[in-house]
Amino acid sequence: IVRLLWHAHISWLRATIHGAIVILPQKGVPYPFPKPDKEKIIILGEWWKADVEAVVNQATQTGLPPNISDAHIVNGQTGAVPGCPSPGFTLHVESGKTYLLRIINAALNDELFFKIAGHNITVVEVDAAYTKPFSTDTIFIGPGQTTNALLTADKSVGKYLMAVSPFMDTVVAVDNVTAIAFLRYREPLHFPHQSLNTTPAINATPVTSTFMDNLRSLNSKKFPANVPLTVDHSLYFTIGVGIDPCATCVNGSKAVGAINNISFIMPTTALLQAHYYSISGVFTDDFPAMPPNSFNYTGNNTALNLQTINGTRTYRLAFNSTVQLVLQGTTIIAPESHPFHLHGFNFFVVGKGFGNFDADNDPKKFNLADPVERNTISVPTAGWAAIRFRADNPGVWFLHCHLEVHTTWGLKMVFVVDNGEGPDESLLPPPSDLPNC
């Protein structure tokens, strides 16, 4: 079984317009892990006292970072936090039974830790791809990511705290309110209360690294890891933020996001429409494969020019070509962990590390046997991640940071994947009843 997040992709509406897509195995096809007794969906998110549209509009007008959220939520409830009487979500379990938890991070701007007091859980799938099972007491999950994990209710009967807390290992402001939910064994009428031992420190980088390092593709005969072993396009993208002039903003400038120093400008004509009908003047296909200027990306960059280039520039891929993409974080203004999401494809995370990517030595350590397959990867703060994928899905596909603030700022780009041969390798025409914008 796999599970994905669906959500609104306009402005910040996905704060509340989101949910789970659950895809069951074909009839008669067993799970590649022991069948659970029950399955539960757990959606993590953020909550604002204000209208999120007003939050992002204010930030856009001022050019300043938007206000952080007021709380985190588990299935729509915060638990007891200041100014909110929420009772908190309760997951009811029965002793001896095993539950498949489908955990989704629908938060706008926060990578999160998820932990259940006194219980380990076994991770079996991320982002709709099975993994080699491994046991952990803490899940690290970025916005847009999903994780399936098995929980066995094998502890003393009682009530156990579930905690959702943020991860931030740099100077960027973050909502530091922990959401509290409960795991409750059904049996007793009266039961003791067991507090959560500890939540990870907000800057617990080693916890995130250990969790991501433990993720491996199942790579079985039925579920192979088809990692591209040859590369047609070797790309190196720097990712981060900058400062551009803004005559109407408070300080005469505004915060922006950029890939290879290009801040993406959304066109007024749909990119897919322009591609399908060959409408000129909407986008160009000259997005650079390498950074325009080479520098110490994770060094002291306080003296650098912070201004970016603006444009609607895409990178074109032939059908079925293979891509290796190194996403390199920078320390311009502030380093930060960036959960990067690719539309239209799963990819394999063949390597990651801290500091600058070493093109001579780091590829020697790539995992090309059983790297985790997913669609969103958290690029380490002041570090890098290398992914590979095969461009076998024709169309127009965004690559973007799944922190909504960064997407709003232009931290995104587009791959245009051309048609192959024949109708099975080509874009479908738009439906005859497609409404006009």
Side-chain angles (χ1 to χ4, degrees):
I1 186 170
V2 295
R3 179 253 310 104
L4 292 165
L5 167 70
W6 66 262
H7 61 85
H9 227 293
I10 298 294
S11 187
W12 281 25
L13 294 182
R14 75 176 173 92
T16 53
I17 303 177
H18 60 250
I21 298 175
V22 177
I23 305 169
L24 298 171
Q26 287 183 325
K27 188 175 182 180
V29 176
Y31 299 134
F33 49 81
K35 184 179 180 180
D37 296 293
K38 293 185 179 180
E39 300 164 0
K40 302 288 185 178
I41 294 174
I42 297 178
I43 301 180
L44 316 179
E46 288 179 90
W47 178 74
W48 276 261
K49 293 180 181 178
D51 177 356
V52 291
E53 289 295 277
V55 171
V56 68
N57 288 340
Q58 180 189 40
T60 300
Q61 292 167 7
T62 62
L64 301 174
N67 294 335
I68 59 174
S69 55
D70 295 291
H72 294 105
I73 52 177
V74 181
N75 283 0
Q77 300 190 47
T78 63
V81 297
C84 182
S86 165
F89 168 74
T90 297
L91 174 65
H92 295 277
V93 299
E94 297 178 33
S95 292
K97 292 188 180 295
T98 297
Y99 297 80
L100 181 66
L101 306 183
R102 305 193 194 101
I103 305 164
I104 299 173
N105 184 353
L108 265 67
N109 296 313
D110 291 349
E111 296 176 300
L112 298 170
F113 294 116
F114 174 84
K115 189 171 183 177
I116 303 175
H119 293 72
N120 275 18
I121 52 182
T122 300
V123 175
V124 293
E125 177 265 318
V126 294
D127 293 358
Y130 291 124
T131 65
K132 289 182 171 68
F134 72 93
S135 178
T136 181
D137 67 350
T138 303
I139 280 179
F140 171 60
I141 185 167
Q145 290 185 328
T146 67
T147 301
N148 274 0
L150 295 172
L151 165 74
T152 299
D154 57 0
K155 304 303 178 185
S156 300
V157 168
K159 186 177 182 181
Y160 297 80
L161 290 181
M162 289 193 287
V164 174
S165 60
F167 167 67
M168 178 56 70
D169 60 352
T170 184
V171 297
V172 176
V174 67
D175 174 0
N176 197 15
V177 177
T178 298
I180 298 298
F182 302 95
L183 175 78
R184 175 178 172 178
Y185 285 72
R186 289 184 183 276
E187 284 79 356
L189 293 175
H190 302 286
F191 42 81
H193 184 85
Q194 176 166 328
S195 296
L196 186 69
N197 297 328
T198 56
T199 56
I202 189 172
N203 62 347
T205 307
V207 176
T208 69
S209 295
T210 298
F211 182 84
M212 289 193 289
D213 288 343
N214 280 330
L215 292 171
R216 292 284 187 271
S217 286
L218 189 58
N219 196 25
S220 65
K221 185 175 181 180
K222 183 178 285 292
F223 302 103
N226 295 316
V227 187
L229 301 180
T230 60
V231 174
D232 298 317
H233 298 265
S234 185
L235 309 178
Y236 189 50
F237 289 178
T238 55
I239 56 176
V241 295
I243 300 290
D244 281 0
C246 175
T248 60
C249 296
V250 173
N251 299 321
S253 62
K254 63 179 179 179
V256 294
I259 301 177
N260 279 356
N261 204 45
I262 297 172
S263 186
F264 192 86
I265 302 298
M266 290 292 286
T268 54
T269 299
L271 292 168
L272 185 60
Q273 179 183 0
H275 169 59
Y276 185 84
Y277 291 111
S278 299
I279 302 172
S280 62
V282 177
F283 65 86
T284 60
D285 57 5
D286 57 350
F287 192 91
M290 302 290 289
N293 299 302
S294 180
F295 58 97
N296 181 1
Y297 306 114
T298 57
N300 184 346
N301 290 310
T302 55
L304 283 182
N305 180 0
L306 302 181
Q307 189 169 341
T308 68
I309 299 169
N310 299 320
T312 309
R313 299 166 69 175
T314 73
Y315 191 93
R316 190 172 291 271
L317 298 169
F319 181 83
N320 216 36
S321 59
T322 55
V323 180
Q324 176 177 291
L325 169 59
V326 176
L327 295 162
Q328 174 69 64
T330 70
T331 53
I332 297 175
I333 301 181
E336 191 171 349
S337 174
H338 295 278
F340 252 74
H341 172 59
L342 176 60
H343 289 207
F345 301 92
N346 276 9
F347 52 71
F348 293 95
V349 184
V350 296
K352 69 178 183 68
F354 294 98
N356 296 328
F357 174 71
D358 184 335
D360 294 324
N361 295 308
D362 284 330
K364 298 174 184 176
K365 297 176 283 187
F366 281 177
N367 176 10
L368 302 180
D370 62 349
V372 66
E373 180 182 358
R374 58 188 325 166
N375 59 49
T376 307
I377 177 63
S378 288
V379 180
T381 301
W384 57 272
I387 66 174
R388 289 189 180 188
F389 66 95
R390 182 177 295 277
D392 55 4
N393 191 6
V396 176
W397 305 109
F398 268 114
L399 171 76
H400 66 92
C401 181
H402 223 290
L403 301 179
E404 203 66 30
V405 57
H406 288 171
T407 299
T408 302
W409 286 352
L411 189 49
K412 52 194 172 187
M413 61 81 63
V414 167
F415 286 110
V416 175
V417 180
D418 287 325
N419 289 340
E421 297 180 2
D424 291 340
E425 297 179 357
S426 300
L427 266 175
L428 293 172
S432 59
D433 60 349
L434 180 69
N436 293 323
C437 293

